[in-house]
Amino acid sequence: MSNLLSLLFGCRHKQDRLSRPFTHSNQTYKVCLDCGRHVPYDAVLFRPLTRSEIKETASGGTRCEPGYR
């Protein structure tokens, strides 16, 4: 049943089903162990980024930590 819901509504990327953080090409992310999608991650605040934070950084946001982007 949950596979059907994931198919219809997409994966929810539960916190306990994310890998450890990886940094590659100056981008930090976790990988969802259910669907394989990269979930952007803030290595300074130690939490996944929200959709609004992702949009902010994609449009030249104000983050200035080294290695971030």
Side-chain angles (χ1 to χ4, degrees):
M1 182 70 171
S2 67
N3 289 339
L4 178 62
L5 293 175
S6 291
L7 181 64
L8 292 175
F9 299 107
C11 183
R12 296 185 61 123
H13 312 303
K14 295 178 185 175
Q15 189 69 18
D16 64 332
R17 297 292 299 157
L18 295 175
S19 71
R20 66 181 180 86
F22 295 97
T23 300
H24 181 69
S25 300
N26 292 329
Q27 291 185 341
T28 303
Y29 59 89
K30 286 187 169 188
V31 177
C32 178
L33 300 175
D34 292 327
C35 70
R37 182 168 182 219
H38 291 188
V39 178
Y41 185 78
D42 189 327
V44 175
L45 299 175
F46 301 108
R47 63 175 178 79
L49 295 174
T50 63
R51 289 180 190 248
S52 62
E53 291 170 331
I54 294 168
K55 289 178 184 176
E56 179 182 313
T57 57
S59 64
T62 58
R63 303 297 297 235
C64 58
E65 297 92 34
Y68 191 88
R69 274 193 140 344

